[in-house]
Amino acid sequence: MNIMRMEAFLRACATLLLLTTACLIRFNRQTSLIFPSYSRTATFRDLNALYVLVFIDIAAAGYNLIQLVLRGLLSSHLKPNMNGSYKHLAWVSFLFDQAVVYMIFAANSAGLTASLFAVTGEHHLFWMKLCNKFNRFCTQIGGALLCGYAAFFLMAMVSSLTGYGLFRHYSPKNYLVLK
Amino acid sequence: MNIMRMEAFLRACATLLLLTTACLIRFNRQTSLIFPSYSRTATFRDLNALYVLVFIDIAAAGYNLIQLVLRGLLSSHLKPNMNGSYKHLAWVSFLFDQAVVYMIFAANSAGLTASLFAVTGEHHLFWMKLCNKFNRFCTQIGGALLCGYAAFFLMAMVSSLTGYGLFRHYSPKNYLVLK
């Protein structure tokens, strides 16, 4: 039970961090003068990578909540022996956890890459830097990405725990045979 | 032994794909007219994300080769019982494999995001699209990224196998106790 409680705790923390990231990015806007006679409002819609990140973070948070509820219900009803539906649930959890961790990491990295272009520009490719015009906006995005990476580390630990919980039920001698 | 041979095969395929990706990006260059009187040569150095991707792919391929050699040497000398140095090796392999998979995925996603800006541009942010000027260059980068994602899928399978190989030696009842 010890390991299941730790997993639930990590999952709950990761959910909060994911929602924080999504809100920080979603409600971030700043209006600023770019050229002397032209002002513009920066929102998360300007970079597709941030738009995708908000959706993936909300989806991952929803998935974590479903897992928390499902495991809370099952832990009171079922003994954790590896037969029938419990085995299937463990495999499905393992595969989904893996997929969700990779999605969060990829979405964060994509957001970071896109944001770095806005910070540094790329004068070879004639892409102007914009963060000197939108200081507060860019700082908030940076904070959101930090939260996102923290959520990724927690989810990576959760996925290792799910793997441990699944694979330790298998025999060390025979290939894919339950003990 | 069956599972170790499968792991070695997947690792070897992943190594080849990683080296293919690195070479396709590293030796990609095209010279083209951007403005009527201004020609430019596009290389992988223009986008930092691609530069990082080449290094990470070569490092991951090197890591895989070390693992292949190490496991080839050990499999003839040691029985796979989980005592002493074999246990430490299994844990180190598990942690490194996890890290390498995430690095490959993040580097590929960062490269993809950066390349998408070159394909579509971002007229909100005054970033011009460049792939209409460098057709062959961009196609080759696209192929390299496909190879990179294939390598990631193979490595994700390898890391699941390492996790399976490690965790199935643990007791299903007691927390982190070997059988």
Side-chain angles (χ1 to χ4, degrees):
Chain A
M1 265 326 264
N2 197 3
I3 191 174
M4 283 186 79
R5 226 174 269 165
M6 191 166 137
E7 195 187 314
F9 176 71
L10 288 176
R11 236 183 242 285
C13 291
T15 311
L16 286 181
L17 281 172
L18 286 170
L19 289 178
T20 311
T21 312
C23 289
L24 277 178
I25 295 180
R26 175 66 186 80
F27 298 113
N28 194 3
R29 54 192 304 135
Q30 186 179 8
T31 306
S32 183
L33 278 175
I34 297 186
F35 302 117
S37 58
Y38 177 72
S39 83
R40 220 180 101 56
T41 303
T43 66
F44 75 115
R45 269 176 242 274
D46 288 332
L47 286 174
N48 281 324
L50 295 180
Y51 196 72
V52 171
L53 180 55
V54 169
F55 273 97
I56 282 185
D57 277 358
I58 290 173
Y63 165 76
N64 272 335
L65 284 179
I66 290 172
Q67 275 275 359
L68 281 173
V69 170
L70 212 64
R71 278 167 186 251
L73 288 177
L74 281 179
S75 70
S76 54
H77 281 287
L78 275 178
K79 294 279 186 307
N81 62 345
M82 285 295 283
N83 292 324
S85 63
Y86 189 84
K87 181 181 156 190
H88 295 306
L89 179 69
W91 268 102
V92 169
S93 294
F94 171 70
L95 293 176
F96 267 97
D97 276 356
Q98 292 276 322
V100 166
V101 178
Y102 288 124
M103 291 307 289
I104 295 176
F105 195 43
N108 264 307
S109 304
L112 182 66
T113 317
S115 308
L116 279 181
F117 282 126
V119 176
T120 63
E122 189 72 78
H123 67 276
H124 291 307
L125 305 182
F126 316 103
W127 294 350
M128 69 185 282
K129 60 173 143 182
L130 287 157
C131 271
N132 44 354
K133 315 278 182 184
F134 297 100
N135 250 314
R136 196 193 51 67
F137 183 85
C138 285
T139 316
Q140 190 167 332
I141 295 284
L145 288 174
L146 272 185
C147 277
Y149 275 110
F152 155 71
F153 274 112
L154 293 181
M155 285 303 293
M157 284 162 71
V158 168
S159 87
S160 289
L161 285 179
T162 338
Y164 170 70
L166 172 65
F167 290 139
R168 68 178 175 161
H169 290 281
Y170 282 91
S171 153
K173 301 210 179 56
N174 299 347
Y175 181 60
L176 278 185
V177 171
L178 282 175
K179 276 180 290 229
Chain B
M1 266 326 266
N2 198 2
I3 190 175
M4 283 186 79
R5 225 173 271 166
M6 191 166 137
E7 194 187 315
F9 175 71
L10 288 176
R11 236 183 242 283
C13 291
T15 310
L16 286 181
L17 282 171
L18 286 170
L19 289 178
T20 312
T21 312
C23 290
L24 277 178
I25 295 180
R26 175 66 187 78
F27 299 111
N28 194 3
R29 56 192 303 134
Q30 187 179 7
T31 306
S32 183
L33 278 175
I34 297 186
F35 302 117
S37 59
Y38 177 73
S39 83
R40 221 180 100 57
T41 304
T43 67
F44 75 115
R45 269 176 241 273
D46 289 332
L47 286 174
N48 280 324
L50 294 180
Y51 196 73
V52 170
L53 180 56
V54 169
F55 274 98
I56 283 184
D57 278 357
I58 290 173
Y63 165 75
N64 273 335
L65 284 179
I66 291 172
Q67 275 275 357
L68 281 172
V69 170
L70 213 64
R71 277 165 187 251
L73 289 178
L74 282 179
S75 70
S76 53
H77 282 287
L78 277 177
K79 295 278 186 308
N81 62 344
M82 285 293 284
N83 293 323
S85 63
Y86 189 83
K87 182 183 156 191
H88 295 305
L89 180 69
W91 268 102
V92 169
S93 294
F94 171 69
L95 293 176
F96 267 96
D97 276 357
Q98 292 276 321
V100 166
V101 179
Y102 289 126
M103 290 308 289
I104 295 175
F105 195 44
N108 265 306
S109 304
L112 183 66
T113 318
S115 309
L116 279 181
F117 282 126
V119 177
T120 63
E122 190 70 79
H123 66 277
H124 292 307
L125 307 183
F126 315 103
W127 294 350
M128 67 186 281
K129 61 173 144 181
L130 287 156
C131 270
N132 43 355
K133 314 277 182 184
F134 297 100
N135 250 315
R136 196 193 51 67
F137 183 86
C138 285
T139 317
Q140 191 168 333
I141 295 283
L145 288 175
L146 272 184
C147 276
Y149 276 110
F152 155 70
F153 275 112
L154 293 181
M155 284 304 292
M157 284 163 72
V158 168
S159 86
S160 289
L161 285 179
T162 338
Y164 170 71
L166 172 64
F167 290 139
R168 67 179 177 162
H169 291 282
Y170 282 92
S171 153
K173 300 210 178 59
N174 299 346
Y175 182 59
L176 278 187
V177 172
L178 282 175
K179 277 179 290 226

